[in-house]
Amino acid sequence: MSKVWVLIVLVIYLSNGGILLSNVCAKPRPDHVNIGAILAFNSTIGKVAKIAIEAAVDDVNSDPTILNGTKLNISMQDTKLSIGFLGIIDSLLLMEKDTAAIIGPQYSVMAHVISHIANEMQVPLLSFAASDPTLTSLQFPYFVRTTQSDLYQMSAVADIVDHFQWRDVIAIFIDDDHGRNGVAALGDKLAEKRGKISYKAALKPDDNNNKEEINSALVKIALMESRVIVLHIYPSFGLEVLHIAQTLGMMGSGYVWIVTDWLTTALDSDPSLLASSSIMNDMQGVITLRMFTPNSRIKSNFESRWPKLAHQNEKGFSLGLNIFALYAYDTVWALAYALDEFFSNGGTLTFSNDSILNTLRGDSLHLDTMGVFLNGSILLQKILEVNRTGLTGRMVFSQDGNLMNPSYEIINVIGSGVRRIGFWSNSSGLHSGEQVPNHVNSSEGLYGVIWPGQTTQTPRAALDLLPYPVPYKFIPFGDGKTNPLNSMLLQKITAGEFDAVVGDITITTNRTKIVDFTQPYIESGLVVVAPIRKMKSNAWAFLRPFTPMMWLVTGMFFLAVGAVIWILERRLNDDFRGTPRRQFVTIIWFSFSTLFFAHRERTVSTLGRLVLIIWLFVVLILNSSYIASLTSILTVEQLSSPIKGIESLATSNERIGYLRGSFAENYLTDELNIHRSRLVPLNDPSEYEKALKDGGANGGVAAIIDERAYMELFLATRCQFGIVGQEFTKMGWGFAFPRDSPLAIDMSTAILKLSENGDLQRIHDKWLTRSACSSEGAKQGIDRLEIKSFWGLFLLIGIACFIALLCHVIRMAYRFKRHYSNNNNNNLEVEGSSSSCSSVSNLSFHLSMKEKRMKRRWKIEMEKRDGAKIIE
């Protein structure tokens, strides 16, 4: 027992000692943390960002709930609108001060360079303005973007282009990492929606762009097909581009300008722009974007503080609050929360000098004092784990360092202000409401847009039914003498010689592998055309509705039904009695008189009436079918040909003609296994006619296989030929375009519209109207009626006859057995053979006696009836 108490005391002691030891070893938090900021103080974004960052640092340092007494010590470096060398120098100066993190840089070009330094020094970069999509690659692990990536902005632009059914756009951009990579992202997103950038106009990435260079670029664009222009540049001279476009008449009706978020940044930063009628006139009808930040209490509080934070500029207007100021403010707070978690988990600000940098000692740059932040990777992880709500909304990072759930406002510049026409979100695309729809791919779309030229009609500048202009030039293909191969014509598209092929191009499986086809504008399958002759009528034409087998089976059933009725009626009905000759004549007469429903004999038995009513129904069907077929034979002109269709033609050895260069040759050889030696290529209708007249025996052809549309025109004036058999392929004609061409889809949509409003049928009737002759071949196939069309009726009457006879025999056998049961008992001693003969004799005697009784009863009834008549 004492040992147990000793162990308990030891555990308590060690536990207290462990706590004391932990407290002793805990690292105290530093008094301050050095952080840096790299901005262009005089830029549109830099002016407001500087104020926002300073305000955020003051708010963090004055908040006792964050960092537990540690203060942020920020050093700001002004790049003076330089996006290259000065940025590198500024970053090196910050590294000399044991900087734990850098807010910025502002420009994407500078971020690419400084990210390499950050990788070496293991110092996280938190940029609130660098939106180049490629910055979040694996090459720059220490780069964290605290604003939206241009990848999402370009997705929104592509959705806008697709929403209005445009396919080609022109991109004007700054020729640097920011501009090039943003436009590249736009090209990828457009390609996903079968669109493309038809032309890229690059401008110099500095402020030395003079009006002449911008004017030259815009004049070149004005001469191009597309009127949809995407402008992705910096705010510093974006307004100048719009002004020159206005002077060139490119801000009028028919043009579309989609401007990235630099325009809303400029308008929000400088309220005086909205008050300038000349400046606003340069951007009427423009569509632009702004990163969406939801309304909240903390955002409203900051907006109310902004006038006090911002200084009056020299024009007397207050500096406006743009969206990047909000992201800059949230960036400081995100870093503060990450540092708090970093220190709470025992992180320390430890820097180690790089031995290589010790040799680089200078007068102004003390590179030897730069140290690697040993725990920089831990701080980076804490930054990526931040999950808080700021001025811009929920701030959560993905593993690649991008903010999650991006969304944009879609803005339309109208009059002296702007109007929000919708939203875009990564999860739901375009939608008109502020709330993200509950379903993906919402069809809410956008509110109405007022386009350049003060019009609400979506700009087309276009040809009929296409949402964009398509200048075209027809180039004939071939030598004008022989038909060229359509496969060679389509190869010209893949080679880039032709942009499209229009005409009677049949859509086949092999051709769809190399080009894209539109929706078929006409259906046309292969048919067989052969010489035909008129069938002359003769005295035996009335026999033609039925085949010989049909006549035979019908006659046999007439006799069979007559015999069955005789068997069922002769016992009860005197109309079916008499001498054998009389009964035979009755059977024949009764059978065939039912054909015209002219039978005089009564049926008194139930089974006989049942058989007769079914038989009369069969006769009705046979009679109606015969009359209909005979009428058609005698009134419609009949045509005949030794060739009945593709089946009989394929199995014969006859020569077959086809149109040179068409797909029919390969189809006949590959699909129908017709030897090429039987195929004769022909060039035009005159050769068709000559070859058919000559015939296969005289060097011509027995038939021609071609598409129905061709043959209808051919037969319009050549009544001695006709289409035999049925159309044996189902294909169509379409226009051909290069693979993945947006024109293929848009032309298909236009063709469908023509079909829906009836214009396509009117075009067909105008150019492919058939005369009476062209359809005569279709009259040939009136088939004679065969037994297979009526076997059900014959089966029905046969079953009825069989059941009736079976019931009759069973009833007679039952009565015979009951009547002669006593006689049979008396004759049990009679042996087999004599017993069988006796049974048959008894049955015959019973039937004759029953017949005599029925005759006597019938005679008495007749005498009574005659007596009654005499008395009357």
Side-chain angles (χ1 to χ4, degrees):
M1 187 65 180
S2 60
K3 293 181 179 180
V4 173
W5 282 106
V6 170
L7 289 175
I8 293 175
V9 172
L10 181 60
V11 169
I12 294 175
Y13 173 78
L14 291 176
S15 299
N16 291 334
I19 295 172
L20 292 174
L21 182 61
S22 176
N23 290 334
V24 171
C25 296
K27 300 290 185 181
R29 293 192 177 216
D31 295 333
H32 65 273
V33 178
N34 292 329
I35 61 174
I38 301 176
L39 308 170
F41 291 170
N42 291 326
S43 66
T44 303
I45 295 175
K47 290 177 183 179
V48 296
K50 181 177 182 295
I51 299 173
I53 291 174
E54 291 173 344
V57 171
D58 291 340
D59 292 344
V60 170
N61 289 337
S62 61
D63 190 344
T65 64
I66 189 73
L67 289 177
N68 293 329
T70 300
K71 303 298 183 181
L72 296 180
N73 182 22
I74 188 165
S75 298
M76 291 193 179
Q77 299 294 331
D78 183 11
T79 61
K80 303 183 186 300
L81 299 179
S82 173
I83 59 176
F85 179 72
L86 289 182
I88 299 175
I89 299 301
D90 290 337
S91 64
L92 294 177
L93 291 174
L94 291 175
M95 298 297 181
E96 295 176 0
K97 302 175 183 180
D98 290 343
T99 302
I102 296 177
I103 297 176
Q106 176 180 330
Y107 296 105
S108 297
V109 176
M110 192 182 301
H112 275 277
V113 178
I114 299 179
S115 292
H116 291 286
I117 301 175
N119 290 347
E120 293 294 331
M121 298 294 104
Q122 299 182 23
V123 176
L125 293 178
L126 292 84
S127 178
F128 59 89
S131 55
D132 179 3
T134 63
L135 284 170
T136 53
S137 64
L138 297 177
Q139 185 181 9
F140 307 122
Y142 282 87
F143 178 83
V144 180
R145 195 195 319 273
T146 58
T147 187
Q148 303 295 351
S149 170
D150 274 344
L151 176 65
Y152 303 116
Q153 181 171 208
M154 295 308 173
S155 296
V157 172
D159 279 355
I160 293 172
V161 172
D162 182 65
H163 175 75
F164 292 106
Q165 300 181 9
W166 300 314
R167 292 293 176 236
D168 290 354
V169 303
I170 294 175
I172 304 176
F173 62 98
I174 293 297
D175 194 13
D176 61 8
D177 292 332
H178 170 72
R180 286 192 302 268
N181 295 331
V183 170
L186 174 62
D188 293 339
K189 293 301 179 180
L190 286 174
E192 293 176 5
K193 302 180 180 302
R194 302 181 73 91
K196 66 177 182 178
I197 301 176
S198 58
Y199 179 73
K200 298 178 181 180
L203 301 177
K204 290 181 180 180
D206 53 45
D207 289 338
N208 295 326
N209 278 292
N210 55 48
K211 294 184 178 180
E212 289 73 17
E213 291 175 334
I214 297 175
N215 186 81
S216 177
L218 292 178
V219 167
K220 189 174 183 180
I221 291 173
L223 298 176
M224 295 181 179
E225 302 171 6
S226 179
R227 293 293 183 268
V228 182
I229 303 172
V230 177
L231 186 58
H232 181 55
I233 56 177
Y234 295 120
S236 55
F237 59 93
L239 296 178
E240 185 65 28
V241 174
L242 294 177
H243 175 68
I244 296 176
Q246 170 69 21
T247 59
L248 293 175
M250 297 177 66
M251 298 300 297
S253 179
Y255 280 90
V256 175
W257 287 82
I258 302 176
V259 178
T260 52
D261 58 1
W262 66 263
L263 180 57
T264 53
T265 301
L267 295 176
D268 293 340
S269 302
D270 189 356
S272 65
L273 297 177
L274 296 174
S276 174
S277 59
S278 60
I279 294 178
M280 295 303 296
N281 188 52
D282 294 339
M283 60 182 74
Q284 290 299 302
V286 166
I287 293 180
T288 184
L289 296 92
R290 179 195 288 134
M291 288 179 282
F292 173 66
T293 56
N295 294 325
S296 64
R297 180 182 56 81
I298 57 175
K299 178 183 175 182
S300 298
N301 292 339
F302 185 79
E303 289 174 343
S304 64
R305 292 172 54 196
W306 183 255
K308 298 179 181 179
L309 296 173
H311 299 286
Q312 295 289 330
N313 60 23
E314 63 228 10
K315 295 182 180 180
F317 292 102
S318 173
L319 185 62
L321 175 65
N322 65 39
I323 197 70
F324 288 99
L326 303 181
Y327 277 103
Y329 183 90
D330 280 352
T331 300
V332 176
W333 275 93
L335 178 57
Y337 273 95
L339 285 169
D340 188 54
E341 286 294 317
F342 173 76
F343 292 134
S344 297
N345 288 273
T348 60
L349 300 177
T350 305
F351 295 85
S352 172
N353 291 334
D354 194 326
S355 58
I356 298 177
L357 296 176
N358 289 334
T359 61
L360 301 176
R361 184 184 301 272
D363 295 332
S364 58
L365 285 178
H366 304 284
L367 299 181
D368 56 324
T369 63
M370 296 174 57
V372 177
F373 186 13
L374 297 181
N375 292 325
S377 60
I378 299 176
L379 178 58
L380 173 65
Q381 186 60 35
K382 296 302 178 183
I383 293 173
L384 295 176
E385 292 174 359
V386 168
N387 187 345
R388 64 177 297 272
T389 299
L391 302 182
T392 58
R394 199 68 186 169
M395 200 172 211
V396 182
F397 294 96
S398 61
Q399 287 300 317
D400 60 1
N402 278 322
L403 286 177
M404 299 179 66
N405 303 319
S407 58
Y408 285 84
E409 298 177 73
I410 313 300
I411 306 295
N412 187 201
V413 180
I414 304 172
S416 60
V418 296
R419 182 174 69 98
R420 186 168 59 195
I421 59 174
F423 297 85
W424 179 93
S425 61
N426 190 40
S427 59
S428 300
L430 295 175
H431 49 94
S432 56
E434 181 173 332
Q435 296 296 325
V436 176
N438 294 326
H439 55 283
V440 180
N441 297 327
S442 170
S443 60
E444 295 180 15
L446 301 173
Y447 291 117
V449 180
I450 297 181
W451 302 99
Q454 300 297 313
T455 178
T456 58
Q457 184 176 1
T458 302
R460 306 296 183 194
L463 297 180
D464 292 343
L465 301 178
L466 284 181
Y468 45 85
V470 185
Y472 59 88
K473 178 182 179 181
F474 287 120
I475 301 176
F477 180 73
D479 57 8
K481 299 179 181 179
T482 59
N483 288 324
L485 296 176
N486 284 341
S487 58
M488 294 177 58
L489 180 57
L490 296 178
Q491 290 292 341
K492 298 292 184 180
I493 295 180
T494 60
E497 297 184 30
F498 292 151
D499 298 318
V501 170
V502 297
D504 49 352
I505 307 298
T506 304
I507 303 173
T508 64
T509 303
N510 290 333
R511 291 175 179 177
T512 57
K513 296 177 181 178
I514 60 174
V515 296
D516 280 353
F517 282 97
T518 63
Q519 175 81 9
Y521 62 86
I522 189 172
E523 293 185 358
S524 182
L526 292 177
V527 295
V528 178
V529 173
I532 56 176
R533 61 180 179 85
K534 296 180 181 179
M535 295 180 61
K536 297 180 180 180
S537 181
N538 54 49
W540 304 102
F542 67 91
L543 296 176
R544 288 169 58 189
F546 288 168
T547 61
M549 178 58 70
M550 182 67 182
W551 281 117
L552 177 62
V553 173
T554 302
M556 291 176 61
F557 264 90
F558 269 106
L559 296 176
V561 171
V564 170
I565 296 295
W566 173 76
I567 294 174
L568 298 176
E569 291 291 324
R570 67 179 299 273
R571 183 175 56 85
L572 305 174
N573 194 340
D574 281 346
D575 288 348
F576 291 88
R577 292 179 176 275
T579 63
R581 179 176 178 274
R582 182 176 180 274
Q583 294 183 46
F584 177 76
V585 172
T586 299
I587 292 174
I588 301 299
W589 165 254
F590 179 84
S591 299
F592 288 97
S593 64
T594 57
L595 178 62
F596 310 102
F597 305 97
H599 51 286
R600 294 177 302 173
E601 292 78 10
R602 297 178 299 109
T603 52
V604 296
S605 66
T606 302
L607 293 176
R609 290 175 177 176
L610 175 65
V611 172
L612 182 61
I613 194 65
I614 296 176
W615 172 244
L616 290 178
F617 173 73
V618 175
V619 169
L620 176 64
I621 301 299
L622 291 173
N623 196 11
S624 301
S625 302
Y626 175 84
I627 293 173
S629 180
L630 182 61
T631 302
S632 175
I633 290 174
L634 296 179
T635 58
V636 178
E637 184 179 28
Q638 296 294 295
L639 306 175
S640 68
S641 172
I643 298 173
K644 304 303 180 183
I646 187 61
E647 293 83 4
S648 62
L649 184 62
T651 55
S652 68
N653 293 321
E654 298 287 352
R655 287 159 56 90
I656 304 171
Y658 68 94
L659 180 64
R660 185 189 301 273
S662 73
F663 76 100
E665 179 183 11
N666 291 333
Y667 181 86
L668 295 175
T669 56
D670 298 341
E671 301 296 332
L672 301 182
N673 298 319
I674 298 176
H675 199 273
R676 289 186 183 274
S677 61
R678 295 176 54 193
L679 302 181
V680 179
L682 303 171
N683 291 305
D684 52 51
S686 61
E687 292 189 10
Y688 279 13
E689 183 177 7
K690 184 178 184 304
L692 287 172
K693 288 181 177 180
D694 291 344
N698 300 319
V701 296
I704 289 176
I705 293 180
D706 206 343
E707 296 182 73
R708 175 177 286 276
Y710 295 141
M711 292 296 95
E712 288 177 348
L713 289 176
F714 173 76
L715 297 174
T717 57
R718 298 171 177 86
C719 297
Q720 67 272 36
F721 310 116
I723 298 175
V724 295
Q726 301 296 321
E727 185 176 325
F728 57 92
T729 62
K730 291 293 183 181
M731 297 182 179
W733 293 349
F735 302 143
F737 293 91
R739 296 298 299 270
D740 299 323
S741 170
L743 272 173
I745 296 178
D746 295 333
M747 286 295 292
S748 295
T749 303
I751 291 172
L752 288 175
K753 290 180 180 179
L754 287 173
S755 178
E756 291 171 358
N757 60 28
D759 288 342
L760 196 62
Q761 185 61 42
R762 285 189 284 271
I763 294 173
H764 179 274
D765 294 340
K766 178 179 180 180
W767 297 103
L768 298 176
T769 302
R770 298 177 296 173
S771 67
C773 251
S774 61
S775 59
E776 287 182 357
K779 303 174 185 176
Q780 177 192 344
I782 300 177
D783 297 328
R784 303 166 74 184
L785 302 179
E786 300 180 359
I787 184 63
K788 64 181 181 181
S789 302
F790 300 94
W791 70 268
L793 293 173
F794 290 127
L795 178 64
L796 179 65
I797 187 61
I799 292 175
C801 292
F802 174 76
I803 293 176
L805 286 176
L806 181 64
C807 293
H808 177 73
V809 171
I810 292 174
R811 184 173 62 181
M812 294 298 299
Y814 173 76
R815 291 179 178 177
F816 171 74
K817 181 179 180 180
R818 187 180 62 179
H819 189 270
Y820 285 95
S821 58
N822 293 331
N823 294 339
N824 289 338
N825 292 332
N826 296 330
N827 295 330
L828 289 176
E829 297 178 356
V830 181
E831 297 183 355
S833 61
S834 60
S835 176
S836 300
C837 294
S838 176
S839 298
V840 173
S841 300
N842 290 336
L843 177 61
S844 176
F845 177 75
H846 169 72
L847 294 176
S848 61
M849 292 298 296
K850 191 173 184 66
E851 183 177 351
K852 289 179 180 180
R853 287 197 299 271
M854 293 299 298
K855 185 182 295 185
R856 189 180 305 112
R857 183 184 307 169
W858 177 78
K859 187 175 182 180
I860 293 173
E861 291 178 356
M862 292 299 295
E863 290 176 352
K864 290 181 178 180
R865 189 182 304 170
D866 294 340
K869 290 181 179 180
I870 294 173
I871 293 174
E872 291 177 356

